[in-house]
Amino acid sequence: MKNTKENKKAKVEVGQSALQKVYDYLARRPYTVILIAALLYNVCYKFLQAHRIAMYGDYWKWILSDIAFILSIEMVFAFLCFKWPRRRVVRSVTFISALICTWSVINAAWIKRTGTQILPSVLLPMFRSPVHAFSIVGGNLRKSPGASVILLGFSAVLLMFFFHVMYRSPKPRYNPGIFYKRMVLTALVVISAWGLRIVTANGKEANILFERPTTNCHLRAFVSIFSKNPCRLSKVDFINCRRKLPLRDQVDVIDSSANSLRPNIVVVILEGVQYQYTSLADVKNNRTPFLASLAENGIELTNARCVLTHTTKAIFGLLTGRKPSVSQDIAEAVPVVRPYASLATILEDKLGYRSAFFQSAMGDFECRPGLVNNLGFNKFWSREQLPDEQDYVGYLGSDEFKMIEPICNWIKSNDKPFITVALCSVTHDPYLVPEWFAEPEKEPIESYFQTIVYTDRFISELHTQLTNLGVIDNTLFCVVGDHGEAFEEHGFAGHERIAFEEVLHIPMVIKGPDPQKKGIKIAQPASSLDFMPTLLGLMDLQVNGLDGNDMFTLNDPDRKVYFAGWLEESPIGFVQGSQKHIYFPVTDKAYRFDLLNDPCELSPILFEQQQIESIRKDLANWRKQSLFKISYPSGKRKLFDNWKCRWTDRISRAKYIEIKK
């Protein structure tokens, strides 16, 4: 018994001794260990992307810049420590190495989530709203537990190693002969990698449908910060912007109706629903049969696209008919004293309508009370007003069905005509449905399909309850999307830096009491900016000076329907007829798709340099002309009794205040 214990103790001591020797060896050059770890992160997750899009043959080209860049940095750090073998020098280069490795870890996670390499602009929302950002990050980590454990587990080991060597950094020792040989060998590898990178970069790209991560993520991040691309906005552009959004009393409304009885309006805004995954695109999938029935008995704009792939911006465009600021901010939610001219203010001022905005998501996300205030709604309701937090779904949303009772109670509270908006959220990441509805699916795409089915049931139930109230026969019932969502149809996931149809194409359906407006399909390219003027046109109202158009009266085959992503480096472009033009700021290239003959966008046509410059100039002007001035650069206000809003420049925040009864 005693011998057994002694043997175990001896084995433990041997193991500890071996680990100590390994640590002592690695701790001599901690910066090398950390940089090699950064290189491993890059090459492993690029292989994951190559596997995802089945481009194994190009994988070796993708990692050349990583090998060349990181080994170049390692050579410089090694030389510094060899020339000045002091602990503070080792600590300094180790700290910089840790920063490089941290960016590799973040980039690896971003590739896993979206299929693209990360850019610094992606991190801005984390600083503006860290709580929400970390909720999103946590949700995405839970979706891929295996990959998350590997990523975070290895990172935790590196972190412990980093802190230990920073606390007890051994004095560097070098054998000059071995050092020079290692430097020569590393230099040969670096020169070979850079040379092959230059040679392969000169070859023609056969396909741009999948983002090729040929550039090292650190270099790409550095270049993106200092890029002088004309499509990027500068501080001067914001200072010099002259656009002022008209306020509620600054628009001319032409009323050509002889009918004093006007319909109520209900607008259901879908969150991130891809058009192709609804029954509007394919009735056989049977995911949204009620939405399809609304289209059959009403009006569908079959070729509608969002102006910006971002909810706050999209809502503003939908409900004002004016383009939002095509910039990475939420300027539309910065509270104003008098609301902008919008669907709600026009109907209230002209026809005496009342208005309310309901959403199942949390209200403090992107300062939604500020946006709703600016759109002139009389009432705002969000998930914070639910009595039971058990009805919350995910970090952002809640059970959509819980909106129905407050919507109906508000409608019954007054006999005036009304406009109400219901913004859904369950189809937003993390794609969860309430427990009562169904057992959650395991695969992300199946979970997403499940949320689409659930949302269609909600729309059906809302329609039923409005029928029971006796108001549906005099109501324009509308369903419209903010943007779509990508699930690797072109190698990408999400919606922020994607310009393919899975993200741009949105549902837009209007069903009203007019029997002559039944089964109508408008196939002309439309924008989310066209929703409000088309809706007003059905009420015989016309507003001059809008960016959108009434699609029943528009006849312009050469019209450009512009679109962009929210992030500044996102693709930007326009659709003109059946031709779609996309400009990619990161690569400074522009492509054309013939959507009539290539609806799946599989055959891009690269423009010549002269054409690229013309397209880039056009899109840069459109972006800069969209900027509008903020009346008050900073301030705070109380909105809708329950919300405290603060803002600085073009970013605002909201905090819910529970009123004690």
Side-chain angles (χ1 to χ4, degrees):
M1 189 77 174
K2 185 177 180 181
N3 290 336
T4 303
K5 288 183 178 179
E6 289 178 352
N7 289 337
K8 287 183 178 178
K9 185 178 180 181
K11 289 179 180 179
V12 170
E13 289 176 351
V14 169
Q16 289 175 342
S17 177
L19 285 174
Q20 186 63 44
K21 288 180 180 179
V22 171
Y23 171 78
D24 290 341
Y25 177 77
L26 297 177
R28 293 175 188 173
R29 287 183 290 275
Y31 53 88
T32 300
V33 174
I34 294 173
L35 287 173
I36 294 300
L39 180 59
L40 286 173
Y41 277 121
N42 287 7
V43 300
C44 289
Y45 276 84
K46 284 188 177 183
F47 180 79
L48 176 68
Q49 179 64 2
H51 172 72
R52 174 188 284 166
I53 61 180
M55 295 185 73
Y56 301 103
D58 286 348
Y59 168 68
W60 68 274
K61 301 177 186 177
W62 298 355
I63 63 175
L64 289 173
S65 61
D66 295 305
I67 295 171
F69 174 77
I70 291 180
L71 291 186
S72 296
I73 296 295
E74 197 278 336
M75 283 181 63
V76 172
F77 288 175
F79 176 77
L80 291 173
C81 292
F82 177 74
K83 185 71 175 175
W84 296 282
R86 302 184 185 105
R87 286 189 174 89
R88 67 171 178 268
V89 176
V90 174
R91 288 191 177 106
S92 298
V93 298
T94 300
F95 179 76
I96 298 171
S97 299
L99 294 178
I100 292 172
C101 189
T102 300
W103 189 256
S104 291
V105 173
I106 295 170
N107 184 65
W110 192 256
I111 289 177
K112 176 66 176 67
R113 172 65 181 92
T114 69
T116 63
Q117 295 202 103
I118 197 165
L119 295 173
S121 60
V122 174
L123 301 182
L124 287 177
M126 296 188 70
F127 295 104
R128 293 168 177 168
S129 184
V131 175
H132 295 152
F134 283 112
S135 297
I136 295 171
V137 171
N140 283 291
L141 289 174
R142 285 192 295 271
K143 286 181 184 177
S144 305
S148 300
V149 168
I150 295 171
L151 184 71
L152 298 180
F154 189 42
S155 300
V157 173
L158 276 175
L159 195 62
M160 289 188 290
F161 175 77
F162 167 75
F163 282 119
H164 200 276
V165 296
M166 290 294 282
Y167 177 65
R168 289 186 176 181
S169 178
K171 189 175 181 179
R173 292 177 296 169
Y174 290 97
N175 181 315
I178 295 175
F179 174 77
Y180 288 128
K181 288 178 182 178
R182 188 172 71 85
M183 291 290 279
V184 170
L185 181 61
T186 306
L188 288 173
V189 174
V190 169
I191 293 169
S192 300
W194 280 127
L196 287 171
R197 172 72 181 89
I198 293 169
V199 170
T200 56
N202 289 334
K204 273 194 172 183
E205 287 189 9
N207 193 336
I208 55 89
L209 299 184
F210 310 109
E211 179 172 320
R212 294 181 166 195
T214 55
T215 307
N216 169 262
C217 63
H218 309 91
L219 287 174
R220 189 180 181 198
F222 183 82
V223 170
S224 73
I225 293 173
F226 298 100
S227 171
K228 299 296 183 182
N229 190 295
C231 265
R232 291 193 64 175
L233 298 171
S234 65
K235 288 184 179 179
V236 175
D237 294 322
F238 288 98
I239 293 170
N240 293 337
C241 72
R242 294 289 178 264
R243 183 185 178 208
K244 289 187 177 181
L245 296 174
L247 303 179
R248 67 184 307 161
D249 57 351
Q250 295 175 341
V251 292
D252 296 324
V253 182
I254 302 171
D255 186 354
S256 58
S257 175
N259 188 359
S260 59
L261 181 63
R262 301 299 177 93
N264 305 304
I265 296 178
V266 174
V267 181
V268 178
I269 301 179
L270 306 176
E271 165 62 70
V273 172
Q274 186 182 143
Y275 182 87
Q276 284 300 123
Y277 292 151
T278 70
S279 302
L280 297 174
D282 181 10
V283 292
K284 294 179 182 178
N285 69 36
N286 202 36
R287 292 190 193 100
T288 59
F290 186 76
L291 180 58
S293 71
L294 289 176
E296 289 174 8
N297 293 284
I299 304 158
E300 182 192 358
L301 281 72
T302 62
N303 204 4
R305 290 173 183 82
C306 62
V307 63
L308 244 77
T309 60
H310 187 77
T311 301
T312 297
K313 305 282 186 179
I315 292 173
F316 184 85
L318 286 167
L319 299 180
T320 65
R322 299 181 189 278
K323 57 191 173 191
S325 179
V326 186
S327 51
Q328 193 177 335
D329 54 38
I330 49 172
E332 295 75 13
V334 173
V336 292
V337 177
R338 284 191 297 160
Y340 301 125
S342 71
L343 186 60
T345 61
I346 289 169
L347 293 179
E348 179 179 1
D349 296 344
K350 186 70 179 178
L351 302 172
Y353 277 54
R354 55 198 173 106
S355 58
F357 191 107
F358 297 83
Q359 67 173 44
S360 58
M362 61 172 67
D364 60 351
F365 192 75
E366 296 196 344
C367 194
R368 195 55 44 77
L371 175 66
V372 175
N373 167 78
N374 294 352
L375 295 174
F377 283 86
N378 308 136
K379 177 182 175 64
F380 174 64
W381 186 97
S382 62
R383 86 168 186 178
E384 284 83 355
Q385 288 161 269
L386 284 170
D388 190 352
E389 291 188 5
Q390 294 295 320
D391 294 320
Y392 289 7
V393 178
Y395 66 87
L396 176 69
S398 64
D399 188 347
E400 325 281 35
F401 283 75
K402 297 299 179 179
M403 286 195 291
I404 294 177
E405 183 177 352
I407 288 173
C408 291
N409 288 340
W410 176 79
I411 290 173
K412 291 187 292 184
S413 68
N414 197 304
D415 292 332
K416 285 185 177 181
F418 63 84
I419 169 175
T420 184
V421 173
L423 173 62
C424 300
S425 64
V426 166
T427 43
H428 189 283
D429 173 83
Y431 318 122
L432 296 174
V433 295
E435 292 181 1
W436 65 264
F437 183 76
E439 192 73 24
E441 297 285 351
K442 294 182 179 179
E443 294 298 320
I445 187 64
E446 295 300 327
S447 297
Y448 182 64
F449 290 160
Q450 192 176 54
T451 62
I452 292 175
V453 172
Y454 164 86
T455 301
D456 190 67
R457 300 273 180 87
F458 159 72
I459 297 170
S460 175
E461 180 62 23
L462 176 61
H463 192 275
T464 298
Q465 293 303 320
L466 295 178
T467 302
N468 294 340
L469 288 178
V471 299
I472 202 66
D473 290 336
N474 187 39
T475 296
L476 286 168
F477 192 90
C478 315
V479 180
V480 61
D482 60 349
H483 54 75
E485 193 80 356
F487 283 85
E488 300 182 18
E489 292 84 357
H490 288 91
F492 307 120
H495 58 267
E496 292 294 8
R497 283 172 54 203
I498 305 169
F500 294 107
E501 291 299 279
E502 53 264 30
V503 167
L504 295 176
H505 196 176
I506 57 173
M508 192 176 289
V509 175
I510 303 171
K511 176 184 172 292
D514 188 349
Q516 295 182 347
K517 298 290 193 297
K518 182 178 179 180
I520 297 175
K521 294 187 182 296
I522 300 175
Q524 188 174 354
S527 167
S528 47
L529 306 181
D530 300 323
F531 174 71
M532 189 187 91
T534 301
L535 194 60
L536 290 176
L538 293 172
M539 302 175 69
D540 297 317
L541 297 174
Q542 179 185 338
V543 179
N544 295 323
L546 297 177
D547 296 319
N549 293 273
D550 181 350
M551 294 305 294
F552 278 97
T553 60
L554 180 67
N555 184 21
D556 183 4
D558 296 325
R559 178 201 186 201
K560 293 179 180 178
V561 176
Y562 289 92
F563 59 82
W566 184 55
L567 299 178
E568 198 161 80
E569 292 85 357
S570 298
I572 181 172
F574 59 85
V575 172
Q576 191 172 28
S578 63
Q579 303 301 304
K580 181 176 180 180
H581 303 70
I582 308 177
Y583 172 72
F584 293 84
V586 172
T587 60
D588 194 29
K589 292 183 179 179
Y591 301 84
R592 176 171 62 85
F593 289 94
D594 183 352
L595 297 179
L596 187 63
N597 298 308
D598 181 26
C600 295
E601 299 173 285
L602 300 175
S603 303
I605 301 166
L606 178 63
F607 282 108
E608 297 295 332
Q609 188 59 39
Q610 187 175 359
Q611 295 171 301
I612 292 174
E613 291 174 3
S614 175
I615 292 170
R616 183 177 57 207
K617 183 179 180 181
D618 177 26
L619 295 171
N621 288 337
W622 176 71
R623 165 169 271 167
K624 290 173 182 178
Q625 290 170 7
S626 73
L627 301 179
F628 59 84
K629 283 197 171 292
I630 301 295
S631 301
Y632 302 97
S634 64
K636 57 183 180 180
R637 279 189 65 193
K638 189 175 183 181
L639 302 174
F640 302 108
D641 297 328
N642 294 90
W643 293 95
K644 277 187 178 179
C645 295
R646 294 177 179 269
W647 68 93
T648 303
D649 197 16
R650 304 173 73 85
I651 300 298
S652 55
R653 298 172 180 84
K655 182 179 180 181
Y656 182 72
I657 308 164
E658 190 170 354
I659 299 176
K660 295 181 180 180
K661 296 181 180 180

